[in-house]
Amino acid sequence: MVSLLKRLSGSSRPEWQKFLRQCLLQRISTDEFYNLAKVMLRRHPISHMDLFDVILESRAVTDFDWDPLIPDYVDAVQKLTQVELFNILPSLLAHSSIKSDIQRWKKQNQAQNQDTDQNVDEQGPTEPADSKGPATLLTDYGIIQNVITAVTTGHAPKIALEFMDTCSAIADWILALVSWNAHLGSEKGEGSGTQLLASPDVVSIFIAVGFLFGALAGTEVGANALSFQHSGTFKHQRMKLARALTAYSPICAEISIPLRNRLDQLQKEFSLFLKGEKSNQDHVIEDTAVSTLEFESRVVDIPPVSSRAGLYIYINSLLVGRPLIDDNLLINYLNNRYGGNHMALVEELITASFDVLSNGMYRNEPQQSMFLFRAFLVNKLPSFLSDLAGSVVEPIPVELCITRALARVDPNTFPSFSEIFSTHGNSVLSDVRQEFLFSCALHKLIPESSIERLLGENPMQTLPNGGRFVKHDLVAQINNSHERAEQLLNGVESMDGNARAIVEAIAEVWAFHRTKILQSTNMDNMDNVGDA
């Protein structure tokens, strides 16, 4: 049957050549060609691949570099014969001017080496544009684009063998393009650089072939065929593909970095390397390791410097949403950050807290957030610094730290009381510095007499009448009189430095009574069970 089909194809081939010649010369439309080809197939049977060969050979009829009818006729025959479009890649390469250029250059090189063709030496380099017959580059590109469209629209190979045969054809295309590039460089005497950049049409084909492989490898059949479980079955195809991708990568790096990266990823993912060859990424890792060692040997050991912005971001993050500030977590972070430099710790912590409040104002934060920032600075920070100062062996000059921190605070954002009238200061935060200093004095961080010096004017407020609250005393007061709890709750929003003790005392009393209620409930339940 096969031999009979070959004989029929051989006898029908001249008729098809005449038919294609007339169609191209008369510029027959694609629809009309489809109907005529259907009749021709009945009258002159021919194998499908031979028919594609005849169409591709007929590009020499019009002597045009670009004839749009050729890709259209290929599509028409594909629809007529139901042959998948990717199967014509080998035939397309065989009839491409890429192949003919390479063959012509090889013959010229052989003639030069044998010193039998003196004319070649006189003519010098010969480029593809001087070759006989039309260049097929544009037609090749158009057909490959049609193949890519078919693959990406659900007409990719359905079985692994078909896929690997297609990859083998792609590898042939890549190797041919690489060879074309090398021969052109040799003809021009410019070495083995990326000579195909001089021909935009060849560059288009080069990129299209790479995209085609990427599209095929992204299919389920492609991923399965390239996997390790088929590495032995398709050993020869994999070796050819590995050789092609290895040659393709350095040229592609000068044309399209994203495409090169994609193909390198596929090459590494499916281990498409020749024996003993390493991936580009492996070379990069080795080079990076050596470079890192060389770099580290020249690095001067400089102590880390903590920035003002870093602590500001950390404090801001503590106060986002519903703040639950763990003192132990905060002190561990600060100790790691400042490494025992308590003066810098205190100074920058105060500065960062003022920064949080001022930036909140500039961001037009809602009133609730501004109250939270202000309460942290006035009610939380002084008590925290008091605990910190009492936990270290060496005394911390807190007053000096506060002096330095206030010197870094923007006076326009936190003006004194007198500056409100003399300048256009912000009256919203005018009392903050004073509230903070009185809170510090309340927690014995600074003497009350230093407040006037630090403010630069007479203060407008005094320490709370009841002095500094202590949690244990407040717990006892609440237990003696529950009305005391309501009185204390009214002072939670006061900016005098006592809010922390009030909240801790009420929380402890609430937890104690809640535990008693739960225990009483459990005892009642047990009694009821016993009675039952």
CSV table of all heavy atoms in Angstrom, one decimal, residues 437-438 447-459:
chain,number,residue,atom,x,y,z
A,437,LEU,N,7.1,65.4,80.0
A,437,LEU,CA,8.1,65.7,81.1
A,437,LEU,C,7.5,65.5,82.5
A,437,LEU,O,8.2,65.0,83.4
A,437,LEU,CB,8.6,67.1,80.9
A,437,LEU,CG,9.5,67.4,79.6
A,437,LEU,CD1,9.8,68.8,79.5
A,437,LEU,CD2,10.8,66.5,79.7
A,438,PHE,N,6.3,65.9,82.6
A,438,PHE,CA,5.6,65.7,84.0
A,438,PHE,C,5.4,64.2,84.2
A,438,PHE,O,5.6,63.8,85.4
A,438,PHE,CB,4.3,66.5,84.0
A,438,PHE,CG,4.5,67.9,84.5
A,438,PHE,CD1,4.5,68.9,83.6
A,438,PHE,CD2,4.6,68.1,85.9
A,438,PHE,CE1,4.6,70.2,84.1
A,438,PHE,CE2,4.7,69.5,86.3
A,438,PHE,CZ,4.8,70.5,85.4
A,447,PRO,N,14.0,65.1,88.0
A,447,PRO,CA,13.4,65.9,89.1
A,447,PRO,C,12.4,66.9,88.5
A,447,PRO,O,12.6,67.3,87.4
A,447,PRO,CB,14.6,66.5,89.8
A,447,PRO,CG,15.7,66.6,88.7
A,447,PRO,CD,15.5,65.3,87.9
A,448,GLU,N,11.4,67.2,89.3
A,448,GLU,CA,10.4,68.1,88.9
A,448,GLU,C,11.0,69.5,88.5
A,448,GLU,O,10.5,70.2,87.6
A,448,GLU,CB,9.3,68.3,89.9
A,448,GLU,CG,8.2,69.1,89.5
A,448,GLU,CD,7.1,69.2,90.6
A,448,GLU,OE1,7.2,68.6,91.6
A,448,GLU,OE2,6.1,69.9,90.3
A,449,SER,N,12.1,69.8,89.2
A,449,SER,CA,12.7,71.1,89.0
A,449,SER,C,13.4,71.3,87.6
A,449,SER,O,13.6,72.4,87.2
A,449,SER,CB,13.8,71.4,90.1
A,449,SER,OG,14.8,70.4,90.1
A,450,SER,N,13.6,70.1,87.0
A,450,SER,CA,14.3,70.2,85.6
A,450,SER,C,13.3,70.4,84.5
A,450,SER,O,13.7,70.7,83.4
A,450,SER,CB,15.0,68.9,85.4
A,450,SER,OG,16.0,68.6,86.3
A,451,ILE,N,12.0,70.4,84.8
A,451,ILE,CA,11.0,70.5,83.8
A,451,ILE,C,11.1,71.9,83.1
A,451,ILE,O,11.0,72.1,81.9
A,451,ILE,CB,9.6,70.2,84.3
A,451,ILE,CG1,9.5,68.8,84.8
A,451,ILE,CG2,8.5,70.6,83.3
A,451,ILE,CD1,8.2,68.4,85.4
A,452,GLU,N,11.2,72.9,84.0
A,452,GLU,CA,11.3,74.3,83.4
A,452,GLU,C,12.4,74.5,82.5
A,452,GLU,O,12.3,75.1,81.4
A,452,GLU,CB,11.3,75.3,84.6
A,452,GLU,CG,11.3,76.7,84.1
A,452,GLU,CD,11.3,77.7,85.3
A,452,GLU,OE1,11.1,77.3,86.4
A,452,GLU,OE2,11.5,78.9,85.0
A,453,ARG,N,13.6,73.9,82.9
A,453,ARG,CA,14.8,74.0,82.0
A,453,ARG,C,14.6,73.3,80.7
A,453,ARG,O,15.0,73.8,79.6
A,453,ARG,CB,16.0,73.5,82.8
A,453,ARG,CG,17.3,73.6,82.0
A,453,ARG,CD,18.5,72.9,82.7
A,453,ARG,NE,18.2,71.5,82.9
A,453,ARG,CZ,18.4,70.6,82.0
A,453,ARG,NH1,18.8,70.9,80.8
A,453,ARG,NH2,18.2,69.3,82.2
A,454,LEU,N,14.0,72.1,80.8
A,454,LEU,CA,13.8,71.3,79.5
A,454,LEU,C,12.8,71.9,78.6
A,454,LEU,O,12.9,71.9,77.4
A,454,LEU,CB,13.4,69.9,79.9
A,454,LEU,CG,14.5,69.1,80.6
A,454,LEU,CD1,13.9,67.7,81.1
A,454,LEU,CD2,15.7,68.8,79.7
A,455,LEU,N,11.8,72.6,79.2
A,455,LEU,CA,10.7,73.2,78.4
A,455,LEU,C,11.2,74.6,77.9
A,455,LEU,O,10.8,75.0,76.8
A,455,LEU,CB,9.5,73.4,79.2
A,455,LEU,CG,8.5,72.3,79.4
A,455,LEU,CD1,7.3,72.7,80.3
A,455,LEU,CD2,8.0,71.8,78.0
A,456,GLY,N,12.1,75.2,78.6
A,456,GLY,CA,12.5,76.5,78.2
A,456,GLY,C,11.5,77.6,78.6
A,456,GLY,O,11.7,78.8,78.2
A,457,GLU,N,10.6,77.3,79.5
A,457,GLU,CA,9.6,78.3,80.0
A,457,GLU,C,8.9,77.7,81.3
A,457,GLU,O,9.1,76.5,81.6
A,457,GLU,CB,8.6,78.6,79.0
A,457,GLU,CG,7.7,77.4,78.5
A,457,GLU,CD,6.7,77.8,77.5
A,457,GLU,OE1,6.7,78.9,77.0
A,457,GLU,OE2,5.9,76.9,77.1
A,458,ASN,N,8.2,78.5,81.9
A,458,ASN,CA,7.5,78.0,83.1
A,458,ASN,C,6.4,77.1,82.7
A,458,ASN,O,5.6,77.4,81.8
A,458,ASN,CB,6.8,79.2,83.9
A,458,ASN,CG,7.9,80.1,84.5
A,458,ASN,OD1,8.9,79.6,84.9
A,458,ASN,ND2,7.6,81.4,84.6
A,459,PRO,N,6.3,75.9,83.3
A,459,PRO,CA,5.2,74.9,83.0
A,459,PRO,C,3.9,75.4,83.4
A,459,PRO,O,3.7,76.2,84.3
A,459,PRO,CB,5.6,73.7,83.7
A,459,PRO,CG,6.4,74.2,84.9
A,459,PRO,CD,7.2,75.4,84.4
